[in-house]
Amino acid sequence: EKPLLKKESRKQKEPRLRDPLIRKIFFIAFCICFLAAMFIELDMFIHMQDKPYEQIYVYQKIDNLFITLLEGLMLPFLCAYLATFPKKKMTILALCLYLLTKLPSFLLGARMGLMSAALFAFLYFCLRHFCSRTEKWIGLLERILIVCMIPVLLIGLGAMSYLRQSDYSSVEKMSATDIVEDFLYKQGVSYSALTYSYQYMDQFPNKDSKIYSVGVVTDYLHCNVIAQKLFHTDDYSVRTAETPEKSHIMGNSLSYLTFGEERYLNGEGYDSCYIAEGYIDFGYAGVIIVNLIIGMVLLLAPLAIRQSNLLSVCFLVMFSMMYIVPRTSFSHTFALLTYKPCIQPQMSAF
């Protein structure tokens, strides 16, 4: 009788999200959202031909409520599917489709989307590798590919910073080592955003009435598609001279003051910096609090994801953006849980 009781208890502890039917439903939903996302990305890619890559950040995407909703739900459905712990081949398929949606923007010069998606895929593989007892997720072949891809990625990303500006002559003159050194040097943009935030923080418009640490969520509540349709709220996703004054995202004010109105309206600028946001909002206490929250999420994420429940889906969604938070807003990570930020990260400086 005792062995039977043990078997029954094991069946009861099996996470419900790992049910094959639920896994198939999430995968189908993700594929539908993938089609919507690809439609939007390809539309942007076609319209952005022969235009400066900075225009990506002022480009107004398709104004269709249904397609926009599906596109915004792609990442949550992907995370829901990954939380069911699918087989390795199906996981690779899903992640490749996700990476494919970032390719059009990358070809136009925006590197952050594809790189953050690739890093998310890599970290998920690491998680599954340490969680799985039956399936080998990172074997010898995967390790060789990773080692070989690192220099290729560094050179490719470094060259892209010139190619997107049509500066082909500079790339031809530089060696592979020079390109890598230049790429690593330019990653100091995070430090630049931090120092400029400290320099201009007293000039940020309406600073006292804003909490930048939750700016992305605040702007989403004001200007998401549903709010615009029902309550005729302002659309901050289109850059205007009034956007820095109205928007609660620090990157808008920072870019406007640093680059000037003309360059800001053309798409240039910095994104936010979570350390600067915490300091401006609550002083040194704010810096400590936001770092503690990030540390707790990173610590609890692997434990929560293993449970394959709704909480694991939420942690996967946050995990997909948590590692680039030094180059974006603190609330951008959590805004995905409310659906999707109304403003795309302003990574033109990247």
Side-chain angles (χ1 to χ4, degrees):
E1 293 181 359
K2 290 184 179 179
L4 290 175
L5 290 173
K6 287 183 179 180
K7 288 183 180 179
E8 288 179 2
S9 62
R10 286 178 183 174
K11 287 182 179 179
Q12 291 176 356
K13 291 181 180 179
E14 182 70 19
R16 181 162 179 77
L17 277 184
R18 297 188 189 180
D19 184 275
L21 178 60
I22 294 177
R23 185 180 292 125
K24 288 179 182 179
I25 292 173
F26 283 145
F27 182 73
I28 293 172
F30 163 69
C31 289
I32 294 172
C33 296
F34 160 78
L35 294 175
M38 281 303 300
F39 180 79
I40 291 176
E41 288 293 317
L42 290 175
D43 178 78
M44 180 184 69
F45 184 78
I46 293 171
H47 285 84
M48 285 296 300
Q49 295 299 309
D50 301 323
K51 293 181 181 179
Y53 96 95
E54 292 91 350
Q55 293 293 312
I56 296 174
Y57 304 100
V58 295
Y59 175 76
Q60 193 167 10
K61 295 185 177 181
I62 297 172
D63 186 18
N64 184 290
L65 179 59
F66 180 69
I67 295 178
T68 304
L69 285 171
L70 288 178
E71 187 258 347
L73 288 170
M74 180 185 65
L75 181 58
F77 274 124
L78 172 65
C79 292
Y81 176 67
L82 295 177
T84 66
F85 278 36
K87 294 293 184 180
K88 186 176 179 180
K89 290 183 179 179
M90 291 302 297
T91 300
I92 293 174
L93 174 61
L95 290 173
C96 284
L97 291 177
Y98 179 53
L99 288 168
L100 188 60
T101 62
K102 308 299 180 182
L103 189 59
S105 296
F106 177 78
L107 294 176
L108 291 172
R111 301 174 295 187
M112 180 58 77
L114 183 62
M115 291 304 100
S116 62
L119 186 55
F120 172 65
F122 171 71
L123 292 177
Y124 180 79
F125 258 69
C126 291
L127 175 68
R128 292 294 301 273
H129 178 74
F130 291 111
C131 290
S132 178
R133 296 179 180 178
T134 58
E135 199 171 12
K136 200 170 186 179
W137 283 74
I138 304 179
L140 179 61
L141 177 60
E142 287 82 2
R143 294 177 187 182
I144 293 174
L145 286 174
I146 291 170
V147 172
C148 293
M149 285 299 296
I150 289 175
V152 175
L153 286 173
L154 290 175
I155 295 172
L157 292 172
M160 178 60 77
S161 64
Y162 293 95
L163 296 177
R164 64 188 180 183
Q165 301 283 2
S166 300
D167 188 4
Y168 304 106
S169 59
S170 297
V171 178
E172 293 175 355
K173 295 176 182 178
M174 299 171 70
S175 65
T177 305
D178 293 335
I179 293 175
V180 173
E181 289 179 356
D182 181 70
F183 171 73
L184 295 176
Y185 173 78
K186 288 182 177 179
Q187 299 317 297
V189 66
S190 301
Y191 177 76
S192 299
L194 181 62
T195 54
Y196 283 129
S197 299
Y198 184 80
Q199 178 181 345
Y200 290 110
M201 64 179 184
D202 292 332
Q203 301 178 41
F204 287 170
N206 301 323
K207 177 173 69 74
D208 296 334
S209 62
K210 301 175 182 179
I211 301 179
Y212 292 117
S213 297
V214 293
V216 175
V217 177
T218 305
D219 272 14
Y220 166 72
L221 295 175
H222 280 86
C223 68
N224 66 79
V225 177
I226 297 176
Q228 291 179 44
K229 298 292 183 182
L230 297 180
F231 305 108
H232 306 288
T233 56
D234 294 332
D235 183 8
Y236 303 152
S237 62
V238 180
R239 286 191 179 190
T240 66
E242 298 178 351
T243 299
E245 183 178 350
K246 295 180 179 180
S247 175
H248 292 75
I249 296 177
M250 193 187 75
N252 283 309
S253 299
L254 176 63
S255 301
Y256 186 85
L257 292 171
T258 306
F259 287 84
E261 181 175 327
E262 183 178 354
R263 295 176 66 185
Y264 168 76
L265 295 178
N266 286 329
E268 295 186 57
Y270 292 111
D271 201 344
S272 190
C273 175
Y274 83 101
I275 297 176
E277 289 177 341
Y279 180 77
I280 293 173
D281 290 336
F282 308 109
Y284 287 108
V287 177
I288 295 173
I289 291 170
V290 294
N291 279 287
L292 283 175
I293 294 174
I294 291 173
M296 289 177 62
V297 171
L298 292 175
L299 179 65
L300 295 175
L303 300 175
I305 292 169
R306 292 178 187 178
Q307 304 303 315
S308 289
N309 52 28
L310 181 60
L311 185 62
S312 64
V313 177
C314 295
F315 269 94
L316 269 174
V317 172
M318 290 189 292
F319 206 54
S320 68
M321 292 299 297
M322 183 62 70
Y323 39 80
I324 65 167
V325 75
R327 305 195 64 163
T328 184
S329 173
F330 171 75
S331 57
H332 184 71
T333 300
F334 305 95
L336 289 171
L337 297 177
T338 61
Y339 168 62
K340 185 183 178 183
C342 62
I343 298 182
Q344 298 299 319
Q346 303 164 47
M347 293 294 180
S348 57
F350 180 77

